[in-house]
Amino acid sequence: MTAADRTAEPAPLRGGLVRLRELLGRPLFSYHLLLGVSGLLVALGLMMVLSASSISALETRGSAFALFGRQLISMALGLCLMWVCSRLPVRFFRLAGYPMMVVAALGLVLVIFIGEAELGAQRWIYIGELTIQPSEPAKFALVLWGADLLARRVRGGAVEWRHLLLPLMPGTALLALLVMVGRDLGTTIVLMTIFLALLWVVGAPLKLFGGILAVVVLAAVVMISTEGYRADRIKGWLDPWSDAQDTGFQAVQGQIAMGSGGWFGLGLGSSRAKWNWLPHAESDFIFAIIGEELGLMGTLVVVALFGLLGYAGLRVATRVGDPFVRLASAAAVAWIAGQAIVNIGAVIGVLPITGIPLPLLSYGGSALLPTLATLGMLLSFAKLEPGAREALLARGPGPAARALSWLGLGGPRPGRRPGRTRR
């Protein structure tokens, strides 16, 4: 092979790489990627909740669309909240973390006294038909509050790691303790993931991580050993088929559902596991229904979408110079991606079942609303990337603003270029 042949051979590859670099270099790439992936996950989640909940909703509520209707309302509210958050300035998020931490702590205290316990965990407050799970907004509160605390330390130059732990560690410990009193191990793990992500981004030493992880493992061992149902879950995780009718029932049925889907699934709506075989098919084990109805290809698409969501969030964290934005974006990614990993790992059997939902896909408005608000925050941060503001101004007003301008309800009037004034 001649030198000319060797030079010409990778030309298509080089062209593809050049186009990819051009795409990644666009100012609003992170913004559009976040928006597109979030929309796909929300749409897929709504579709799968309808499929997974139809049988149980028909039996318990008299309508196959009962849970789907509630999820649809939650999604509509969540998308409005996401849109509002995408238009808020960074200063709002920095200030909002403090009252949100107070409200989250009060909500977790109320759960202890007036909450309802299900499956061993006390997480929910029932107000008529409304169900509130205060531990879900507590995750968003910790992201904002912790990011602002550390950003102030970094900006002030006091980056000594001992100073970084106060008051971040006591605040995190308070939330984790309240959640642990409610016997919710899964949410405790997510809160500690957010805490460790904040310390990692700010540059805390590795020995600190080792000490904190040791404390977390010790707390998890204590929680497992003091609650019989958690010990049964560990036994069911290690060998679910040894007691497939009791402690390993949910894990076994989830694996059967995943395995029966094959490469391309049984077809949308064709799940057999949702016919009262798989407990909590619409929430904790919705990934198993995705595997059964959409097959391995469907599950890989879900994993890829979460990977792209994490990449977009970390891209925002690395491209925006504001310390708060960097910390909050990384912590939000650790929360959403980490929770997805824990949920998926439990469904496929590589992690114990903790009872935490799959973000954006599982049924439940208490989890959906804070997650969509967090994604709206990331969209707001994405507008701060280099060149993003100029690209937005060059794009002009959106369809909604143009429609309002035609009706004379605001915005520049048709036929006049924005920014021009009469002399």
Side-chain angles (χ1 to χ4, degrees), residues 10 45 61 63 77 124 131 153 181 196 249 274 339 416 420:
R61 298 174 182 265
S63 172
L77 294 174
W124 297 271
T131 305
R153 298 292 194 278
V181 171
L196 292 175
F249 182 79
K274 68 182 180 183
Q339 187 166 318
R416 292 180 58 198
R420 295 194 62 181

Side-chain angles (χ1 to χ4, degrees), residues 236-305:
W237 167 57
L238 294 175
D239 189 9
W241 293 90
S242 64
D243 193 6
Q245 297 300 320
D246 189 9
T247 58
F249 182 79
Q250 189 176 29
V252 166
Q253 294 301 320
Q255 292 178 22
I256 292 174
M258 291 283 294
S260 62
W263 285 95
F264 301 103
L266 303 178
L268 188 62
S270 301
S271 168
R272 305 186 188 103
K274 68 182 180 183
W275 290 77
N276 295 329
W277 287 103
L278 179 60
H280 306 288
E282 74 283 353
S283 53
D284 301 346
F285 268 68
I286 198 167
F287 189 74
I289 303 300
I290 294 174
E292 185 181 16
E293 294 189 352
L294 304 182
L296 177 63
M297 294 297 103
T299 60
L300 291 179
V301 168
V302 171
V303 172
L305 288 175

Side-chain angles (χ1 to χ4, degrees), residues 107 110-111 114-116 123-127 130-134:
L110 286 176
V111 167
I114 65 173
E116 297 288 337
R123 310 175 186 176
W124 297 271
I125 298 175
Y126 291 95
I127 305 175
L130 182 64
T131 305
I132 302 175
Q133 189 174 351

Side-chain angles (χ1 to χ4, degrees), residues 172-173 175-181 183-189 191-192 210-227 229-231 234:
T172 306
L175 290 184
L177 179 62
L178 292 173
V179 172
M180 289 170 65
V181 171
R183 303 185 297 277
D184 187 354
L185 179 60
T187 302
T188 305
I189 293 174
L191 291 174
M192 296 308 300
I212 294 174
L213 285 175
V215 173
V216 172
V217 171
L218 178 61
V221 171
V222 171
M223 292 182 71
I224 291 171
S225 60
T226 55
E227 295 288 347
Y229 79 95
R230 288 200 188 98
I234 296 298

